[in-house]
Amino acid sequence: RNAVDFFVLAQLEANAMSLTTQVGDVIEEVQKVVSRLQSMAGSKGVSLELSAHGQAYWGVMDFEKIETILSNLLMNAIKFTGQGSRIKTDVDLVENSEGQFLQLRVADNGKGIPGHLLPTIFERFSQAGESNVHIGGSGIGLALVKRLTELLGGRIEVSSEPGKGTVFTVVLPFQKATAPTNGLPKNGFPQPSLELTNGSGERPTVLLVEDNHELRAFIASGLSVFYELLEAGTAEEGLAIAKENLPDLIVTDL
């Protein structure tokens, strides 16, 4: 994921990235991100919660970039909160004299961020040697979030109190849309079928071999929706599982 983030950030810095908007339900898209990261959070004893102030928020937005923003904020929060912590994602529409805006808040009750680090928290590679700062190992997670938020015409703010937790708030312009009624997928694009089979009427079997537990949980949360998933943490374990089960596909970084 770090390599992907580096590539995306490089595109942003070169002004080579454009927007790709679709019609979709913001609440549903946010729910997908939260659900996908439940396994990673659970492996660290962290609780992920979602609160929405409406049933559906249909809008025209670049949902891929919103997903990247929210995923990075949640993954950082998961990484820097301890066992028994709670992370809450709040989705709301707010309105002022300038128009209507989507507000995404990611709040945790973790260690918090020292006040002297807050002014530089969104700078690339700014980690300052602090083990409790909400920045990933590559030092670009929050820099990427800020640049994507700005590309979408929005802003991001952070408030934190050591020992009590941290709140990131992303505010994005919102263009209201009408829910489609023509039978198309909700975002206007084909979605993977839940009826995938391997020719025998069963779902294909995928073996995922990855030694990084957090990364394996992240990938598994997406694959398990459509495939019978087998997991291994080492090459030796993966080879043994593959010989016994003969999966249709093996996913690994060899």
Side-chain angles (χ1 to χ4, degrees), residues 174-227:
F174 182 79
Q175 180 183 345
K176 189 175 180 179
T178 302
T181 58
N182 57 3
L184 287 175
K186 292 182 178 179
N187 62 3
F189 290 90
Q191 299 297 311
S193 170
L194 292 176
E195 301 302 324
L196 291 173
T197 66
N198 59 7
S200 63
E202 300 175 349
R203 295 203 307 174
T205 300
V206 173
L207 169 60
L208 172 61
V209 184
E210 171 57 55
D211 60 356
N212 184 298
H213 181 76
E214 292 183 358
L215 179 58
R216 188 170 74 250
F218 176 73
I219 298 174
S221 62
L223 291 176
S224 61
V225 176
F226 305 108
Y227 305 99

Side-chain angles (χ1 to χ4, degrees), residues 32-166:
K32 290 178 183 177
V33 177
V34 174
S35 297
R36 191 171 65 238
L37 294 177
Q38 289 287 358
S39 178
M40 178 188 295
S43 69
K44 296 197 67 176
V46 175
S47 171
L48 283 188
E49 302 175 6
L50 172 62
S51 174
H53 298 265
Q55 297 298 314
Y57 295 153
W58 284 92
V60 181
M61 309 195 76
D62 190 325
F63 288 100
E64 181 179 352
K65 293 179 179 58
I66 292 175
E67 176 187 350
T68 301
I69 290 170
L70 184 57
S71 293
N72 270 279
L73 290 176
L74 287 174
M75 290 173 69
N76 276 325
I78 292 170
K79 182 174 182 179
F80 293 104
T81 53
Q83 186 169 0
S85 298
R86 295 170 57 246
I87 301 171
K88 182 180 179 181
T89 301
D90 187 88
V91 187
D92 197 8
L93 289 184
V94 295
E95 192 167 354
N96 57 33
S97 59
E98 298 179 353
Q100 199 168 35
F101 297 86
L102 172 67
Q103 179 176 276
L104 300 174
R105 295 176 72 251
V106 174
D108 67 63
N109 60 348
K111 297 178 181 179
I113 304 171
H116 70 280
L117 293 178
L118 288 176
T120 60
I121 194 73
F122 295 109
E123 293 180 7
R124 188 174 181 179
F125 302 122
S126 176
Q127 298 187 78
E130 300 279 355
S131 62
N132 62 344
V133 176
H134 284 56
I135 301 181
S138 64
I140 66 171
L142 293 180
L144 175 60
V145 165
K146 186 173 188 294
R147 292 299 298 270
L148 284 175
T149 299
E150 292 172 345
L151 179 66
L152 295 173
R155 69 179 189 276
I156 183 169
E157 302 171 350
V158 57
S159 61
S160 186
E161 187 173 349
K164 293 190 176 181
T166 302

